Amino acid sequence: MDLWTYEREQWNHGFSTLCGVDEAGAGPLAGPVYAAAVILPGELDLPGLNDSKKLTAKKRDTLFDAITRTAVAYSVAAVTAEEIDQMDILNARMLAMQRAIGGLSVTPDLCLIDGNRDHGSSVSIDAPHVCLVGGDGKSASIAAASILAKVSRDRYVTDVLDREYPQYQFAKHKGYGTKLHYEMLDQYGPCPAHRRTFLKKWEARRT
């Protein structure tokens, strides 16, 4: 599928500067949720560009470098585990995306948001936007944002959290609720990087 089809439709509607927006890390038990906003040059050829979940880590790293080198503008933002606990993950996802859009050095005419949600109970995306379900596999701009968000989060978990809290082996499971992660939780209990609201079932099992 041609990943520029959706962008062309929007250009034809008069939106010249398009920004793809996606988030990564909504599901893990620990660490921030990340989001990225990317404005690509029109019709840019990025071989292998696709939804970050369909790519190997090595391919994501290669594309991360290509995207950050060639983008008209890009921005990566995060919402911490503590903030997630304060507001819930849906609002945190929206806040991360809104922060990423706000961090762009170029103001987009229209943001292409992956998924079907543009607001939570307290946070809304207020930039001009449209939602596109499965956008990371349909839009070049959103696919690029999905890669920047995913790689940025993985690097933070590996380079920062894993070094701060080596006993949890974050580099192996990236904070997701794997068997290994739950074994480490059983052994050491939560650390400040854990999302306490995501541990209710684990805590209930312990009592």
Side-chain angles (χ1 to χ4, degrees):
M1 179 181 171
D2 183 352
L3 288 180
W4 286 102
T5 301
Y6 197 79
E7 276 82 350
R8 287 189 205 102
E9 289 177 10
Q10 299 303 327
W11 291 331
N12 289 337
H13 290 146
F15 298 105
S16 59
T17 305
L18 299 176
C19 163
V21 187
D22 200 5
E23 45 83 12
L29 308 178
V33 61
Y34 268 72
V38 183
I39 300 172
L40 293 175
E43 308 277 356
L44 176 68
D45 182 26
L46 285 169
L49 181 65
N50 204 338
D51 172 4
S52 64
K53 297 185 290 295
K54 297 177 181 175
L55 302 172
T56 64
K58 183 177 180 182
K59 184 62 177 176
R60 285 196 297 265
D61 282 336
T62 299
L63 281 164
F64 180 98
D65 293 340
I67 292 162
T68 54
R69 186 173 62 247
T70 57
V72 173
Y74 71 92
S75 169
V76 178
V79 173
T80 66
E82 183 179 8
E83 289 176 302
I84 292 169
D85 285 340
Q86 289 169 352
M87 64 177 59
D88 77 41
I89 187 60
L90 176 58
N91 283 298
R93 287 170 52 209
M94 299 303 120
L95 180 58
M97 289 194 282
Q98 185 62 43
R99 284 177 176 172
I101 296 166
L104 288 167
S105 59
V106 175
T107 302
D109 298 324
L110 186 70
C111 297
L112 311 178
I113 309 291
D114 184 54
N116 63 353
R117 303 297 291 268
D118 62 359
H119 68 279
S121 59
S122 61
V123 181
S124 298
I125 294 172
D126 56 21
H129 67 276
V130 293
C131 294
L132 184 59
V133 175
D136 43 10
K138 298 175 182 175
S139 154
S141 304
I142 297 176
S146 78
I147 290 165
L148 294 201
K150 169 71 173 163
V151 172
S152 296
R153 185 184 186 279
D154 283 354
R155 289 178 179 177
Y156 175 80
V157 171
T158 300
D159 298 341
V160 178
L161 290 188
D162 190 65
R163 292 176 183 177
E164 284 185 4
Y165 309 104
Q167 67 272 34
Y168 296 96
Q169 302 184 50
F170 281 121
K172 290 186 177 178
H173 51 68
K174 303 297 189 293
Y176 284 88
T178 64
K179 183 172 181 284
L180 172 64
H181 193 176
Y182 279 114
E183 286 174 355
M184 298 302 100
L185 273 169
D186 288 340
Q187 188 169 350
Y188 299 107
C191 74
H194 280 99
R195 306 171 182 178
R196 299 307 289 258
T197 51
F198 279 51
L199 299 180
K200 290 197 160 79
K201 287 184 180 177
W202 173 79
E203 288 170 347
R205 180 166 56 81
R206 301 262 291 175
T207 56

